[in-house]
Amino acid sequence: MPDRSHNIDPDRLLGLYKTMRRIRAFEEAAEAASLDGRVGGAVHLSIGQEAVAAGVCANLRPTDQITTTHRGHGHCIAKGTDPGAMMLELFGKEGGTCGGKGGSMHIADFDVGMLGANGVVAAGIPIAVGAAHGAKLLGEDRVVVCFFGDGAINRGPFLEGLNWAGIFALPILFVCEHNSYASTTRTEAVTAGPGATARAESLGIEAFEVDGNDVVAVDGLAGELTGRIRAGGGPFFVTARTYRLKGHTSVDPGAYRDEDEVSLQWAEDPMNRCEEELQRLGLAAAELETIGRQATEEMAAVAAAATAAPHPALIQAFTDVQDVGAPVWSALP
Amino acid sequence: MSSLSYLAAATRAVAEEMRRDDRVWALGEDLGRGGVFGQYRGLVDEFGDARIADTPISEATIMGAAVGAALVGTRPIVEMRFADFALCAVDEMVNQAAKARFMFGGQARVPLVIRQPSGMWRSSAAQHSQSLEAWYTHIPGLVVAAPATPADNLGLLKAAVRCDDPVIYIEHKDLWALEGEVPDDGEDVLVPLGRARLARAGDDITVVTWSKMVGVAEQAAELAAAQGIAMEVIDLRTLWPWDQEAVFGSVVKTGRLLVTHEAVQVGGFGAEVAATVAEDLSDSLKAPVRRLGAPRTPISYAKPLEDQLRITPERIAAVAAEMLGD
Ligand SMILES: Cc1ncc(C[n+]2csc(CCOP(=O)(O)OP(=O)(O)O)c2C)c(N)n1
Ligand SMILES: [Mg+2]
């Protein structure tokens, strides 16, 4: 077994911390823009879940690929998507990752191997499986990571996708972000049996549980598993236990949750835990504050730029639909 | 008469039907906390969590289990949350619910209501904004309803629950807050499936529409009136079966038909209405029938792009004016 104790190189941990800070700052800027109406569509914040995105993606190469969900901002940033383009997308502006045509739930950035967020729960699972299948067919040496929530494991594509990955021995890492909720519903109440890890194991997929608020643990496990995939192994499965510190969407006060439960979870905020770890390794609090401030400034600038940016040209509603039989745009009266 | 929102009217319909018939129950995600739009708010307190059932995110099984439970004598109300997610349960709707009665030689009935909140709402983009009602009108065995007012969301939903065949029940997300008059509490008023409503009378042109577009057409009628055009607006309310008698009667009177809907124009239900009128009433027509629907492109996220796909009162009025030769 590789060493998964907290003997992490301080520079590596600092890198993970920076990623987490940037995700948190992006989410806070997006939340503000959603609440004051600058962002029109639904925004699902990943505040509290940053350690999973940062820890997993730190082990990926630019040629590796991921799929994610409606709650995917963190995965995009950790995979290398430009937050400026992401914010423009949330604002529905020109220069957004998808030209403003998709919005928060449909961010994609194929240049960095980010094959798309998804508005349909569990729909990304077969797509990630297919990407891994494609890599195998093409003889391309890459790892695919498939992120999804604990609510997704009750849809058929979860079973079908895992089974498929197993029989074709695909180079894929499934990452279930277990935040205990699917919208207003506690997933425990609608999930039979012990849950995701056991389901993966029942299909013969080696599966692991990790504290998803412990970025060092996530990084260590993801490093081990991506290494084994690169050596010809896979598929693997990870359940990362974490918590959605905010509501389901930016406008959901989350009143269906116990206040005590939520405040207990804030005490487990992965950001604080990472800071404690860094300080234990000798980093000064002032240095961490600087990193936090820089992240906040970066995302404030990104949001300001998105606020000022122009909307896409109207004709964009009619482009990239299909080649044969494409719609024809004519300016409306 | 009292006043209720489109949303509250539906809540009342479900409550009244559940009180009247204890075989009626509802199932879907998050219903115990009122459902994603709050359309089930309070119901779990009165009826308990066996009859207001919280389900996993399992659309295929929500639908399939509802079919099974309907076959054995319960009357499920299936909540699909967004019409777009009903696409995860198409086999269960189209191959199972719609076919069971016929295939099994009449031994079985599938009395279920499939609620599908539809349409453009708050920049929801391509996977949360679709209007797919026409697909279901194409499937023998299904009834398709699409109310435009609080009164109809009360009366039609009650009628749908009492229907012994599967009903695709399309509510428009942008109408939830619309207030309107409804029968007083305690009055058990059904709106019959298959009957249109005259939303506005006029002699010059008939506009046939449904769901949110009824209100848009009523605004268009105001604009047209200012130009001296008397527009008749017919709210179809049920798409299958559709009220041919009401539409034909109006077109015989006005001689002109425009069908408009939020859904994509190509292959939309407007095509069916227009073609039927063109086939059967050609002698009464003073102008070729016209359709006005969305362009055949996915719905954009960016607001100005999305807005461009909407049918506005101005556009309806402009087409009406063209049809009157202006
Ligand atoms: C097929 C489908 N059903 C329902 C929804 C509505 N929906 C969006 S997110 C969500 C909850 C998902 O929970 P989970 O998978 O745990 O992800 P989390 O939101 O916790 O990140 C639901 C039910 C959807 N988008 N797609
Ligand atoms: Mg969850």
Side-chain angles (χ1 to χ4, degrees):
Chain A
M1 280 298 277
D3 182 13
R4 276 200 233 125
S5 66
H6 285 189
N7 292 330
I8 188 169
D9 169 56
D11 283 343
R12 184 171 179 87
L13 185 55
L14 201 60
L16 293 167
Y17 178 67
K18 279 184 187 157
T19 305
M20 288 168 64
R21 269 277 158 228
R22 292 177 73 231
I23 297 171
R24 176 74 51 104
F26 181 90
E27 297 293 46
E28 286 171 349
E31 180 181 37
S34 168
L35 294 180
D36 70 21
R38 279 174 296 155
V39 167
V43 174
H44 302 81
L45 303 167
S46 67
I47 290 176
Q49 307 187 185
E50 296 91 341
V52 184
V56 171
C57 293
N59 294 283
L60 300 183
R61 301 172 180 163
T63 49
D64 292 335
Q65 294 168 334
I66 66 169
T67 66
T68 179
T69 68
H70 54 284
R71 203 176 303 289
H73 301 160
H75 309 128
C76 298
I77 290 174
K79 189 67 177 72
T81 300
D82 167 26
M86 288 172 58
M87 195 63 85
L88 286 164
E89 191 60 36
L90 266 63
F91 278 69
K93 296 292 182 73
E94 200 175 274
T97 51
C98 311
K101 292 159 74 155
S104 162
M105 262 192 287
H106 306 297
I107 291 178
D109 185 2
F110 280 62
D111 287 344
V112 303
M114 176 10 199
L115 305 184
N118 214 303
V120 180
V121 168
I125 299 175
I127 292 172
V129 165
H133 200 135
K136 204 166 169 170
L137 285 176
L138 296 167
E140 282 171 5
D141 179 22
R142 66 166 56 117
V143 173
V144 177
V145 176
C146 175
F147 291 101
F148 52 92
D150 47 334
I153 71 167
N154 293 318
R155 278 204 63 221
F158 171 80
L159 173 78
E160 297 178 23
L162 263 62
N163 181 61
W164 190 287
I167 58 171
F168 288 103
L170 298 179
I172 186 168
L173 173 62
F174 296 99
V175 179
C176 177
E177 289 186 320
H178 190 295
N179 60 13
S180 294
Y181 284 87
S183 313
T184 71
T185 301
R186 276 194 74 81
T187 50
E188 206 178 61
V190 289
T191 305
T197 311
R199 289 184 188 185
E201 281 169 346
S202 78
L203 294 163
I205 296 177
E206 214 181 311
F208 304 81
E209 302 244 348
V210 69
D211 177 350
N213 290 349
D214 179 348
V215 72
V216 179
V218 175
D219 174 48
L221 179 60
E224 175 195 336
L225 297 179
T226 51
R228 287 174 65 190
I229 292 173
R230 293 190 208 288
F236 295 111
F237 191 98
V238 171
T239 301
R241 291 202 173 254
T242 179
Y243 195 78
R244 189 192 77 202
L245 289 171
K246 295 287 181 145
H248 175 60
T249 62
S250 56
V251 296
D252 168 22
Y256 43 87
R257 305 193 297 193
D258 222 45
E259 270 177 41
D260 289 350
E261 172 187 315
V262 179
S263 52
L264 274 176
Q265 290 290 344
W266 272 104
E268 295 296 312
D269 183 351
M271 208 66 68
N272 298 341
R273 289 179 57 183
C274 186
E275 284 167 6
E276 283 162 19
E277 193 74 28
L278 282 163
Q279 289 184 350
R280 204 178 55 77
L281 292 173
L283 271 107
E287 192 173 345
L288 302 185
E289 258 166 50
T290 306
I291 290 171
R293 197 181 53 248
Q294 282 167 347
T296 306
E297 283 167 6
E298 177 192 1
M299 299 312 168
V302 148
T307 307
H311 284 292
L314 291 180
I315 194 174
Q316 291 302 326
F318 295 81
T319 58
D320 286 320
V321 179
Q322 59 193 108
D323 284 337
V324 179
V328 179
W329 182 73
S330 57
L332 296 169
Chain B
M1 287 293 223
S2 40
S3 177
L4 273 186
S5 69
Y6 185 83
L7 182 141
T11 313
R12 176 173 147 194
V14 172
E16 287 181 0
E17 290 309 299
M18 288 184 67
R19 273 176 218 135
R20 188 188 54 78
D21 181 348
D22 59 17
R23 296 168 303 169
V24 178
W25 62 300
L27 67 163
E29 299 148 14
D30 300 298
L31 299 197
R33 267 79 48 228
V36 67
F37 299 106
Q39 69 275 55
Y40 295 84
R41 194 161 289 146
L43 295 180
V44 73
D45 302 327
E46 178 174 354
F47 300 104
D49 60 9
R51 292 180 69 200
I52 297 291
D54 263 343
T55 69
I57 307 172
S58 305
E59 282 75 11
T61 298
I62 296 170
M63 190 75 71
V67 173
L71 288 173
V72 300
T74 77
R75 306 184 74 86
I77 298 171
V78 175
E79 179 55 56
M80 280 285 115
R81 192 179 185 116
F82 279 70
D84 314 72
F85 308 151
L87 304 184
C88 301
V90 167
D91 174 65
E92 290 73 13
M93 273 186 294
V94 173
N95 283 329
Q96 315 305 332
K99 307 286 195 287
R101 177 179 174 188
F102 177 83
M103 264 181 339
F104 299 151
Q107 300 175 75
R109 301 299 299 256
V110 188
L112 63 87
V113 180
I114 302 164
R115 294 179 74 178
Q116 298 198 19
S118 291
M120 286 189 259
W121 172 77
R122 296 191 186 169
S123 306
S124 294
Q127 291 179 339
H128 287 75
S129 302
Q130 297 171 91
S131 295
L132 300 175
E133 64 271 15
W135 294 20
Y136 300 104
T137 65
H138 195 72
I139 307 300
L142 298 179
V143 173
V144 183
T149 64
D152 285 345
N153 210 13
L154 175 63
L156 265 181
L157 186 48
K158 286 164 65 75
V161 172
R162 295 190 203 182
C163 178
D164 286 328
D165 294 313
V167 180
I168 306 292
Y169 195 81
I170 296 184
E171 288 157 289
H172 200 294
K173 301 192 285 290
D174 223 16
L175 294 180
W176 290 129
L178 177 75
E179 290 282 334
E181 297 224 310
V182 296
D184 282 328
D185 258 343
E187 284 180 50
D188 187 33
V189 181
L190 299 193
V191 172
L193 293 163
R195 199 81 53 77
R197 176 180 71 95
L198 181 64
R200 179 179 174 120
D203 290 332
D204 295 331
I205 177 169
T206 302
V207 174
V208 170
T209 189
W210 51 90
S211 188
K212 188 192 162 187
M213 288 299 297
V214 172
V216 177
E218 285 171 329
Q219 290 171 37
E222 292 292 330
L223 298 177
Q227 294 176 275
I229 297 171
M231 191 181 278
E232 181 144 304
V233 178
I234 293 186
D235 172 3
L236 222 43
R237 301 202 285 198
T238 307
L239 273 64
W240 195 269
W242 63 283
D243 192 342
Q244 296 198 5
E245 204 180 305
V247 173
F248 282 18
S250 175
V251 175
V252 165
K253 176 176 76 172
T254 64
R256 295 178 185 87
L257 172 67
L258 167 63
V259 198
T260 183
H261 49 67
E262 182 177 318
V264 166
Q265 178 165 311
V266 175
F269 194 65
E272 176 63 23
V273 176
T276 306
V277 167
E279 281 171 350
D280 291 8
L281 290 185
S282 56
D283 291 346
S284 308
L285 290 173
K286 297 178 193 153
V289 294
R290 292 279 298 268
R291 290 175 293 156
L292 189 55
R296 190 177 176 285
T297 192
I299 293 169
S300 291
Y301 173 73
K303 186 89 173 47
L305 269 55
E306 182 196 45
D307 280 346
Q308 188 183 206
L309 309 178
R310 291 175 199 277
I311 309 299
T312 58
E314 290 74 20
R315 292 180 61 201
I316 295 174
V319 173
E322 277 171 35
M323 291 175 70
L324 275 123
D326 296 355

